[in-house]
Amino acid sequence: MFLTAPKTAQLDRQVIQNSIPLDLFKAIADLKKEMNAVILAHYYQDPDLQDIADYIGDSLGLSQAAANCQADVIVFLGVHFMAETAKILNPSKLVLLPDLDAGCSLADSCPADRFAKFKAEHPDHLVISYINCSADIKALSDIICTSANAVAIVNQIPQDRPIIFAPDRNLGRYVIEQTGRDMLLWDGACIVHEIFSERKLVELKLSHPEADIIAHPECEANVLRHADFIGSTTGLLKYVQNCDRKEFIVVTESGVIHQMQKATPFKKFIPAPPNSNCACNECPYMRLNTLEKVYLAMKNRSPEIILNESIRQAALIPMQRMLEMSI
Ligand code: 13P
Ligand code: SF4
C-alpha cells in the first residue's frame, strides 16, 4: 500500500507506528462517523487519500462542496489555501488540515504587503484573484476565480473596467488569450506546472501519435500550445471520459491520473515528463498529507485552520461573488 510513500511519510510512520491502529482505513471511517466529519480531497492527493474521501474535486468543486457542507467537521485533504477557503465559508465548523506545512508555491509568490501596494498603484482596477492565494489576498480582492471558471468570470466583467489578475501569470495569460481582455498580471507561478519540458513533450507525442495532449492552464505557453484540450483537473477528467481517444498525455500533477484510470480503466494515461529526472510532476506540498496524518488530525482534532475574523469576513465577499457567478 505504501510502496511509493515519500520519505517524510516513512519517517512519520516510524515515529508514530506504536500509536496508530493497523487498519487506518477502518479507524478513519470510525472517527468520521463519531465526529460527524466529511473528507474533501483534491485530485493531487496520494491515491490512498483520494480513496477515503467523500468528495474529490477541483478547487471550484471543493469550494462548492465546502459551501454546502452539513457536517460538523471538514477534514481537508489538499493544501493550506484550500482548507482556508473551507474555513472562510464555514467559520463555525472545525476545519482540519493533516499537515499545516502543505502550502503552495503559487500562493507564496503573492505576499499580501506587496500585493496591497501593487493594488494601491492601480486604484481603478477590479481585482480578480485565482483561488490559489492566501486569505489575506482574497480579502484584498473583488472576485475569486478558479481554473474552471476564470474565463467565464472575466467575460462577465464590463469591457471598460480594467482588471488586475493575480497571482498566476500563466493562467492570466491563458485567460487573456481566451477573452481578448488586456489584464494586468501579477508575476506568480506554480513550481509543478512550470517544470514540464516542451522538448520532452514533443518527443513523447512523436512516440505516441494517437495520444491527445491534455493540460492544465497553469502550464507555460510553450507547453499549452501543444495541447488538444486545456482545462481544470475536473475538466481534464471529464474530457478523457467523453473523448473517443484511448491514450492521453497528461500535463498536470500526476495524482489526477488515479481518477482517470478508475473512470476509464481501458484507457492509457502517460504523465508528461518534467525537464529533469525528478518526480517534479508531483506537488511536494499536496503530497505532505498521509493516511497516518489524517488519522492523527482526526483523533487530536488538530491541526485546525484558524482565521482572523475580519480577514475572513473580507475574504468571504469575493468568494461569494465567485460562487454566484459560477451558477
Ligand atoms: P484546479 O483544482 O482548479 O484544477 O487547480 C489545480 C491546482 O493547481 C490546485 O492547486
Ligand atoms: Fe500550488 Fe502548484 Fe501545488 Fe497546486 S500544484 S498546490 S498551484 S504548488
Side-chain angles (χ1 to χ4, degrees):
M1 174 169 82
F2 288 106
L3 283 179
T4 58
K7 272 202 185 114
T8 49
Q10 288 163 14
L11 275 176
D12 288 336
R13 194 169 310 112
Q14 281 167 24
V15 173
I16 60 179
Q17 63 189 357
N18 295 328
S19 62
I20 58 167
L22 280 179
D23 188 346
L24 277 171
F25 292 97
K26 181 175 179 317
I28 289 169
D30 289 348
L31 276 172
K32 206 174 72 162
K33 224 182 203 171
E34 207 176 285
M35 302 166 80
N36 187 24
V38 67
I39 301 182
L40 306 181
H42 192 270
Y43 296 115
Y44 294 167
Q45 293 291 285
D46 276 339
D48 272 352
L49 298 192
Q50 295 188 34
D51 290 346
I52 61 166
D54 297 294
Y55 177 84
I56 313 165
D58 65 1
S59 305
L60 177 61
L62 287 164
S63 303
Q64 289 165 331
N68 298 323
C69 175
Q70 300 300 320
D72 297 323
V73 178
I74 298 176
V75 183
F76 210 107
L77 309 188
V79 290
H80 195 273
F81 76 80
M82 294 179 171
E84 214 175 45
T85 303
K87 186 70 179 180
I88 290 168
L89 294 163
N90 292 283
S92 63
K93 294 190 201 299
L94 175 67
V95 177
L96 299 171
L97 180 64
D99 191 324
L100 275 188
D101 287 336
C104 168
S105 64
L106 181 50
D108 290 348
S109 68
C110 194
D113 52 345
R114 275 178 51 212
F115 188 68
K117 196 164 166 271
F118 178 68
K119 181 183 161 178
E121 287 161 8
H122 307 282
D124 55 334
H125 282 56
L126 185 85
V127 177
I128 302 183
S129 293
Y130 188 30
I131 198 163
N132 298 33
C133 64
S134 66
D136 289 346
I137 297 296
K138 289 183 176 77
L140 290 166
S141 306
D142 296 301
I143 308 171
I144 301 303
C145 71
T146 75
S147 65
N149 60 20
V151 169
I153 284 185
V154 170
N155 274 333
Q156 292 175 57
I157 308 304
Q159 284 293 334
D160 57 350
R161 188 79 201 265
I163 299 172
I164 287 175
F165 188 93
D168 189 10
R169 60 171 178 256
N170 291 316
L171 178 64
R173 186 210 56 251
Y174 172 73
V175 174
I176 289 173
E177 282 164 19
Q178 296 299 306
T179 61
R181 292 294 290 262
D182 183 23
M183 304 189 300
L184 206 49
L185 302 183
W186 183 262
D187 193 20
C190 156
I191 49 167
V192 180
H193 288 91
E194 288 222 313
I195 205 81
F196 295 109
S197 155
E198 182 186 13
R199 182 181 57 78
K200 288 187 184 175
L201 180 64
V202 171
E203 284 168 7
L204 195 60
K205 174 73 182 180
L206 285 174
S207 57
H208 295 83
E210 295 303 315
D212 263 7
I213 296 179
I214 58 172
H216 194 279
E218 284 178 25
C219 296
E220 291 181 305
N222 65 343
V223 164
L224 286 187
R225 71 193 170 103
H226 299 284
D228 298 290
F229 178 76
I230 297 168
S232 76
T233 41
T234 296
L236 300 179
L237 178 60
K238 283 189 183 149
Y239 181 78
V240 303
Q241 288 174 281
N242 297 327
C243 173
D244 292 339
R245 295 265 176 180
K246 298 280 178 285
E247 234 181 330
F248 300 88
I249 298 170
V250 182
V251 201
T252 188
E253 214 274 10
S254 58
V256 71
I257 293 177
H258 182 56
Q259 293 306 319
M260 292 176 173
Q261 204 67 79
K262 273 174 106 168
T264 55
F266 47 90
K267 295 192 179 185
K268 185 173 174 187
F269 301 99
I270 309 160
N275 59 19
S276 62
N277 294 325
C278 58
C280 319
N281 56 6
E282 287 185 3
C283 173
Y285 306 101
M286 287 273 182
R287 304 298 180 126
L288 282 177
N289 293 324
T290 62
L291 267 188
E292 288 92 339
K293 289 178 191 172
V294 175
Y295 168 75
L296 288 174
M298 292 174 81
K299 190 170 159 237
N300 300 330
R301 300 176 76 86
S302 169
E304 74 167 301
I305 301 290
I306 297 171
L307 281 175
N308 170 295
E309 182 54 17
S310 62
I311 296 286
R312 188 198 70 79
Q313 283 181 19
L316 180 62
I317 297 165
M319 274 302 302
Q320 281 175 331
R321 285 198 186 114
M322 174 189 87
L323 293 171
E324 282 157 19
M325 292 169 87
S326 305
I327 293 166

